[in-house]
Amino acid sequence: RNAPSLVISRNGSAVILFRGGDVTRSAVQTTLERRNIRTLACLIDLRLTPRRAQRMGPEPRLAVDPMALYATRRIRCGPAEVEVLRTRNGCVARLHAAGQTFVTLSGSAALAAPVQADYLLASPARPDCVKYDVILSLSSDYRWMPEALSSGQLCHSFSRAE
């Protein structure tokens, strides 16, 4: 199962955490059009082995694939700040916006200490390296979810249309 890209928007501006290929790119563009988003604050390409660089426009872009192992990069995206840590088999992206912290994983990440977040933006990647309060997810059937939900984690699921 593929992890969805994330479009985080506020006041007509968006930050995109991108995973996928041409089909995903088309879905992201459709989402931007439906939400009437005209400003892309930045695009964070979370893919480790992209077939080609992803661009949606003139927005600032941060790509994980050329980063050194265990390197961290930060980029200011309008009122938000995104921090990305590259690991051997994946990456961790942490977004700070509106006084809240959101984290998502792409691939797998083993860290010495957990990353703190208010919200986990769920993906198929098991979030063992993230300490979070609430799960936001498009799916309720990722393999690791039953364990998280049985331990009392709060989960908000969204449809693809939201």
Side-chain angles (χ1 to χ4, degrees), residues 9 11-14 32-33 35-41 56 58-59:
S9 63
N11 299 330
S13 180
L32 295 173
E33 289 168 11
R35 293 184 183 172
N36 198 28
I37 296 169
R38 299 182 192 272
T39 304
L40 296 182
M56 303 253 177
E59 74 284 342

Side-chain angles (χ1 to χ4, degrees), residues 1-6 17-19 46 89-93 103-109 119-130 132 134-146 148 155-156 160:
R1 169 168 307 158
N2 291 330
S5 287
L6 300 161
L17 302 177
F18 188 83
R19 306 179 257 229
L46 301 176
N89 298 311
C91 66
V92 179
V103 170
T104 194
L105 302 172
S106 187
S108 61
Y119 298 94
L120 171 69
L121 304 173
S123 72
R126 187 174 184 83
D128 293 335
C129 66
V130 182
Y132 53 90
V134 178
I135 301 169
L136 300 177
S137 180
L138 279 176
S139 174
S140 60
D141 65 351
Y142 293 135
R143 279 184 264 176
W144 57 267
M145 260 192 179
C155 180
H156 297 283
R160 294 187 188 280

Side-chain angles (χ1 to χ4, degrees), residues 11-155:
N11 299 330
S13 180
V15 173
I16 299 169
L17 302 177
F18 188 83
R19 306 179 257 229
D22 291 336
V23 171
T24 302
R25 177 188 166 94
S26 178
V28 167
Q29 288 175 319
T30 299
T31 298
L32 295 173
E33 289 168 11
R34 284 184 183 158
R35 293 184 183 172
N36 198 28
I37 296 169
R38 299 182 192 272
T39 304
L40 296 182
C42 65
L43 182 131
I44 312 299
D45 192 337
L46 301 176
R47 300 171 300 161
L48 293 182
T49 54
R51 288 190 206 140
R52 67 174 191 226
Q54 199 55 253
R55 267 253 183 272
M56 303 253 177
E59 74 284 342
R61 180 178 174 276
L62 187 149
V64 170
D65 66 303
M67 290 173 60
L69 284 180
Y70 303 104
T72 300
R73 297 265 321 269
R74 291 178 189 205
I75 186 170
R76 171 108 0 240
C77 304
E81 180 180 72
V82 180
E83 178 182 17
V84 179
L85 168 66
R86 171 73 181 333
T87 65
R88 182 168 308 285
N89 298 311
C91 66
V92 179
R94 179 167 48 187
L95 182 130
H96 303 278
Q100 302 291 309
T101 303
F102 303 84
V103 170
T104 194
L105 302 172
S106 187
S108 61
L111 305 176
V115 173
Q116 296 285 137
D118 298 307
Y119 298 94
L120 171 69
L121 304 173
S123 72
R126 187 174 184 83
D128 293 335
C129 66
V130 182
K131 187 173 181 177
Y132 53 90
D133 297 326
V134 178
I135 301 169
L136 300 177
S137 180
L138 279 176
S139 174
S140 60
D141 65 351
Y142 293 135
R143 279 184 264 176
W144 57 267
M145 260 192 179
E147 182 181 317
L149 297 177
S150 69
S151 70
Q153 291 292 334
L154 182 59
C155 180

